[in-house]
Amino acid sequence: MVRTAENTTHSKPDTRYLIEFQPSGKTSHLRQGSLLQIANAAEVPIDAPCGGRETCGKCRIIVRLGADCLSKLKDSEMRFLSDTEIQAGYRLSCCASATSSGRVVLEVPSESQLGLQRLIVGGLEPGVIVSPSVHKFCMKVPIPSLEDLRADTERILETAKEQLSIRLDSIVFSALKALPLALRKDIWKVTVVENNGEVIAVEPGDSTSRFYGLAVDIGTTKLAAYLVDLNTGRSIATSSRVNPQTKHGSDVITRICYAMQEPSQLHELHRILIVAINAMSSEICRKTGLSVDDIYDVVVVGNTAMHHLFFDIQPESIGLSPYTAVAGGPLNVRSNDLGLHVNAGSYVHSPPNIAGFVGADTVADILATNIHQAEELTLLIDIGTNVEIVMGNRTGLQACSTPAGPALEGAEITFGMRAVEGAIESIWIDPKDMSVGYRTIGKDSLPKGICGSGIIDGISEMLKAGIIQASGEFKTDPAIPKLRSRSGITEFIIVERKLSAIDRDIAITQRDIRQIQLAKAAVYTAVLLSTRRLGVKPIDIKKVYVAGAFGTYINSQSARNIGMYPDIPLDRFRYVGNAAGARALLKSSTLRATARTIAQTIKYFPLGNEPDFQIQFLDALYIPHKDLELFPSVKRVLKLG
Amino acid sequence: MVRTAENTTHSKPDTRYLIEFQPSGKTSHLRQGSLLQIANAAEVPIDAPCGGRETCGKCRIIVRLGADCLSKLKDSEMRFLSDTEIQAGYRLSCCASATSSGRVVLEVPSESQLGLQRLIVGGLEPGVIVSPSVHKFCMKVPIPSLEDLRADTERILETAKEQLSIRLDSIVFSALKALPLALRKDIWKVTVVENNGEVIAVEPGDSTSRFYGLAVDIGTTKLAAYLVDLNTGRSIATSSRVNPQTKHGSDVITRICYAMQEPSQLHELHRILIVAINAMSSEICRKTGLSVDDIYDVVVVGNTAMHHLFFDIQPESIGLSPYTAVAGGPLNVRSNDLGLHVNAGSYVHSPPNIAGFVGADTVADILATNIHQAEELTLLIDIGTNVEIVMGNRTGLQACSTPAGPALEGAEITFGMRAVEGAIESIWIDPKDMSVGYRTIGKDSLPKGICGSGIIDGISEMLKAGIIQASGEFKTDPAIPKLRSRSGITEFIIVERKLSAIDRDIAITQRDIRQIQLAKAAVYTAVLLSTRRLGVKPIDIKKVYVAGAFGTYINSQSARNIGMYPDIPLDRFRYVGNAAGARALLKSSTLRATARTIAQTIKYFPLGNEPDFQIQFLDALYIPHKDLELFPSVKRVLKLG
């Protein structure tokens, strides 16, 4: 719910005016109103937390064609955009309008796309050729006679070779048991599902049209499952839910401790995860009218701890120095052994883990972003309680990880909450009058608290408005309204009690800022030390992929302002689609070998072992950084230093 | 219990006299008494049903050295031995004695060895090099450090390669789950069990001394399990019991019908078999003080129907024309999938089936006898309700099968019974006075009935004594005592009521003879048509291997006399040890590939398809045969024709 009035002036269509929005391809012939208003009318969602009041600077667009047809740059735009950005065609959509007829092409950069849309529109999925690990084919098998006394097994293996040149070596036990009936039910016409030379299912008649795989993303907090049509490669249904393990701890370490205490507790964490995944696959099958037997392949990705808990493997070593994984390489485990309700002959595949805190999910993200084939220096950053950093290009990749603590996910924050309905997800402060605007998740929800993206926005805006100093401390200027001290705790009020759903003022406290400083310093230090190991500087990073649902919701400008992201142009940022890597692994068998090679060749380095890690971390605690030369555009735009 | 008094005269030792018995290697210095008595005193068990009264002709020995030191041939010996046999050194041990000092070497041929002993002494077990499919080795794994952050899986796979040059590709799921604890329990000293590149078990410390495999022989009637030490290749314990499926039918066809009716009935037959095998492995482990977890490999052999029921595979097609198997090739199924209580990571191996009625047990028998490498023409014959015949040598093998009916196993016979305590297993008739001798199973048991080997003996002896004709009909000579007709049924009394345990006369009836004629004609026809396909004659068969517990107990002379076995010298007969092939497959991984090649190259032919099968079968109904020229030695010894 946006607490600022939105100007909904409707202008008239005029075909001489043509505004095209990318990447959606939607067009408009409206000539009046701001580009933001025209975009809204054309149902192009642009993130404009202040509602077009020119105070938040977030509704950025890039003019790709027809700059001449638009109004001149306003002062507000100069305030929020760097020179480089202005040169690159950046505008604030609330400030710009069409002043003369012609064709204008506008790109809505990923940082300006609304959160929910990012997942769908901005979510990367590599253009893989559909060539799954499993194959399904139908054939007519010769009927036994006194002249042809072959056993059913030889009959089917040899027919596949003779008729289809498909080499089959063996038959999985469940398929073997189904074989005699399947062959005889439809006069020896039979459909065979093959995986790596092994027959994993045999069905009577021709059932080749029903051929699906399940991609499962096991987040510490959230689970997501995607049903992929293995004939076409298309994702056709999805389901998600909260990871039920959260009741035994919200973070990875708490769950590892829980699993360590008793083998039965490990099995319990495993079991409730399987139950939840089964519920998702049932839901998907209900929605699509399919049977779980139509799912012949499963790819699961998660961080190393989630991976181990999914497979019922004791994760203790991940939690103890030197933090090693039990299972490193890729796994192929029979779904039956895990109790997964999919086709009985199917296998569950997981790509390899890189280290105790750089898991199969990171490998999947590398595949989804193709950074192992990138020409340019690329950064992949997956933000959660734990942050994984991959940096490099086709000549080599390196990886490290750092605990960021739960602050970024809204925990340990005074009014912190998860990114659910009622959470303030975006904050802006008008530097002129220090008035605060915000937006909550859920259209008509009164605010209940602040989630991670909101708190990052809040700190960025407080820095910009001069409410806090580079050290993170509140200024002691008594003229700042809403800044107060209660019981020795200084805090800045975001929502007053009368407008909150919790009958209390919602504020950001000094302690909250400290928590975020610790988290953002961890992230930045990991990025900085990664560049240092490669002998480059942060500005040399030509592309940044932000993975994980949480990263997707963070405003990258705010994250850059507070010094969490390195100071590089915002158009270099991209978002990785949820479970995109897992879906790619379902669709392409060659990617599985690629994943293995990536995990074997990537250079993992323990961040804490870097010589001056502590010093670098302390410098990064400043907002944006002790060394402002590392953040030149932030310095300029925010008029710092 | 032998119903004839045994002469137990004890002679005095005299070191100038040396008698050696082969293959046991036992020796004696006794100079007085018959060789049979000397053998008894030396604890060399020779089958002498008549107790040394020179009336049964069964206590045959072969003089290999020192014939000059022995007494001259007696008339009784001339009566029971053919010229060829006499030339080959055959004697009756009850008739011969040492007459002068010196060294005498006597071979106790397999047909004269006592039944129980045959299994141990005569049971063939090919001299395979111990090189199992599974390997167990101990290693010291480097401890993780900040400089060595490999996952447990890579750590163990790479250590095996570096330290021991053992290539491991993957880890079975149950072993993966055990891995972290096993590595850390004994300071990173760990024992790994490998099967075909896959780690199937990981144990803390050095447990290489505990390394076992289980060979299971699934007979239609009887189950047997052998524990084999995979370090030494030695069989160290055994257990056997009745196949619990017998309650759902004593023969294969009845059980197939039971399984066909309802899937639940198939699963029941499967389940009760697994329960029985688990009971045997538990019993073996109890006896040896081992754990079922010490069993890392299982080889199962059985006929095709038993094979399918063991694996829970619908055997319907085996019972319906054209009688094909579902599973042809070798199977490797995880023991967990079958519910077998052995090490969780172990696989159950079955060699391939050749056809619906020539199963994996036949392949195992071929391996045990090495006939695929034989120079000479060799016959393998496995006698049961179904009879399997393999013939050939290293240049090629052919196989066929024939139903013999249950008569040979004592069923459908008036006083028939299984070969258990109280069964008459051996019969002899003194041609002079037609007095009947017999021996029962169980030392002090009164007879309850006649088992298969007894009935074959009885018919042979009745033929020899002239009680029955070549047609199988009783002679109508009123002078034959114990031959009588009651309610139109002619029968010959073997045991009179007062000496029987069942308070009735035990007799062989005309109908019993007919049943045996049908069975023995089936066997002989299969052998004869096998030779014909190879363009040879029965006498060209240079070696005969008799497999299966039942065949082991049949007196081969009697079986030859009635025309079930071809008329070839008895020293060409050998017995195949129980489950010898299964044990060999445990001990040698290369034999598994050999088994596959054998099954792929052996020529199976459906016997019923042979042009004049019916005519040949009718001729073979005669005792020994319509064409006596096929049985020259029987004709001569029994003075027939």
Side-chain angles (χ1 to χ4, degrees), chain A residues 152-154 325-326 328-329 334 337, chain B residues 151-154 325-326 328-329 334 337:
Chain A
D152 290 358
T153 49
E154 273 56 45
V326 172
R334 294 192 345 195
D337 285 346
Chain B
D152 290 358
T153 49
E154 273 57 44
V326 172
R334 296 195 340 197
D337 285 346

Side-chain angles (χ1 to χ4, degrees), chain B residues 558-578:
Chain B
S558 299
R560 188 180 68 173
N561 283 344
I562 69 164
M564 182 160 95
Y565 289 172
D567 190 353
I568 52 178
L570 291 178
D571 61 358
R572 297 186 189 173
F573 283 79
R574 296 285 181 279
Y575 298 94
V576 184
N578 202 8

Side-chain angles (χ1 to χ4, degrees), chain B residues 48-300:
Chain B
C50 76
R53 297 207 310 178
E54 306 179 12
T55 55
C56 71
K58 288 179 180 173
C59 60
R60 303 144 68 97
I61 47 164
I62 308 166
V63 183
R64 293 292 181 206
L65 198 79
D68 302 347
C69 305
L70 300 179
S71 58
K72 287 192 180 159
L73 275 172
K74 277 189 172 180
D75 283 353
S76 333
E77 295 182 84
M78 308 286 268
R79 212 164 76 227
F80 289 111
L81 300 172
S82 68
D83 295 348
T84 338
E85 287 167 344
I86 289 165
Q87 276 163 28
Y90 268 89
R91 299 289 305 258
L92 294 187
S93 60
C94 64
C95 297
S97 57
T99 47
S100 59
S101 65
R103 181 168 169 239
V104 177
V105 178
L106 302 175
E107 180 184 335
V108 184
S110 55
E111 73 265 24
S112 304
Q113 291 167 13
L114 266 175
L116 192 64
Q117 295 300 320
R118 279 176 188 160
L119 284 178
I120 298 155
V121 180
L124 267 180
E125 202 159 328
V128 296
I129 294 161
V130 179
S131 156
S133 293
V134 285
H135 304 98
K136 193 171 189 181
F137 51 91
C138 176
M139 60 190 187
K140 194 94 182 66
V141 179
I143 300 176
S145 67
L146 277 171
E147 287 68 47
D148 178 2
L149 292 165
R150 288 176 296 177
D152 290 358
T153 49
E154 273 57 44
R155 192 172 296 278
I156 203 163
L157 302 184
E158 288 165 13
T159 305
K161 195 174 175 188
E162 287 155 13
Q163 288 183 11
L164 304 164
S165 301
I166 295 174
R167 191 198 148 112
L168 302 173
D169 299 317
S170 60
I171 304 180
V172 85
F173 188 48
S174 56
L176 177 62
K177 290 193 281 186
L179 182 59
L181 195 63
L183 279 172
R184 289 163 183 83
K185 201 169 181 182
D186 194 4
I187 333 164
W188 300 82
K189 187 161 104 180
V190 77
T191 299
V192 173
V193 185
E194 177 267 355
N195 181 358
N196 200 22
E198 187 177 47
V199 173
I200 62 164
V202 191
E203 296 159 3
D206 185 350
S207 61
T208 49
S209 64
R210 297 197 318 279
F211 188 39
Y212 299 91
L214 193 70
V216 182
D217 185 276
I218 305 174
T220 311
T221 306
K222 202 179 137 195
L223 309 177
Y226 294 80
L227 190 73
V228 175
D229 184 331
L230 297 178
N231 282 320
T232 64
R234 291 184 52 193
S235 300
I236 58 158
T238 177
S239 170
S240 73
R241 54 201 64 206
V242 168
N243 185 333
Q245 296 175 337
T246 47
K247 69 180 170 204
H248 297 297
S250 62
D251 61 274
V252 159
I253 293 297
T254 319
R255 282 186 225 166
I256 292 175
C257 290
Y258 186 79
M260 277 165 64
Q261 284 162 23
E262 273 286 336
S264 66
Q265 294 187 356
L266 163 64
H267 304 322
E268 184 197 352
L269 289 177
H270 163 71
R271 195 187 51 78
I272 59 179
L273 191 52
I274 296 294
V275 168
I277 295 170
N278 282 339
M280 290 195 293
S281 89
S282 294
E283 183 194 321
I284 285 174
C285 288
R286 235 184 354 259
K287 278 195 241 176
T288 52
L290 295 169
S291 152
V292 289
D293 291 333
D294 299 328
I295 300 172
Y296 301 94
D297 200 7
V298 181
V299 171
V300 165

Side-chain angles (χ1 to χ4, degrees), chain A residues 187-360:
Chain A
I187 332 165
W188 300 81
K189 186 161 103 180
V190 78
T191 299
V192 173
V193 185
E194 177 266 355
N195 182 358
N196 200 22
E198 186 177 48
V199 173
I200 62 164
V202 191
E203 296 159 4
D206 184 350
S207 61
T208 49
S209 64
R210 296 197 319 277
F211 188 38
Y212 299 91
L214 193 71
V216 182
D217 184 275
I218 305 173
T220 311
T221 306
K222 201 179 138 196
L223 309 177
Y226 294 81
L227 190 73
V228 175
D229 184 331
L230 297 179
N231 282 320
T232 65
R234 290 184 53 192
S235 300
I236 57 157
T238 177
S239 169
S240 73
R241 55 202 64 205
V242 168
N243 185 332
Q245 296 174 338
T246 46
K247 70 180 169 203
H248 296 298
S250 62
D251 61 274
V252 158
I253 293 296
T254 319
R255 282 185 224 165
I256 291 174
C257 290
Y258 186 78
M260 276 165 65
Q261 283 161 23
E262 272 287 336
S264 66
Q265 294 188 353
L266 162 64
H267 305 323
E268 184 197 353
L269 290 176
H270 162 72
R271 194 187 51 77
I272 59 179
L273 191 52
I274 296 295
V275 167
I277 295 170
N278 282 339
M280 290 195 292
S281 88
S282 294
E283 183 194 321
I284 285 174
C285 288
R286 233 183 358 257
K287 278 195 242 176
T288 51
L290 295 168
S291 152
V292 290
D293 292 333
D294 299 329
I295 301 173
Y296 301 95
D297 200 7
V298 181
V299 171
V300 165
V301 299
N303 62 50
T304 311
M306 289 307 110
H307 169 282
H308 282 39
L309 293 177
F310 171 80
F311 285 111
D312 203 17
I313 297 169
Q314 179 56 256
E316 183 171 349
S317 64
I318 301 172
L320 300 173
S321 175
Y323 314 110
T324 56
V326 172
L331 291 186
N332 291 291
V333 174
R334 294 192 345 195
S335 57
N336 267 351
D337 285 346
L338 294 163
L340 275 191
H341 296 166
V342 288
N343 191 287
S346 66
Y347 286 82
V348 178
H349 174 80
S350 163
N353 292 309
I354 295 169
F357 281 101
V358 182

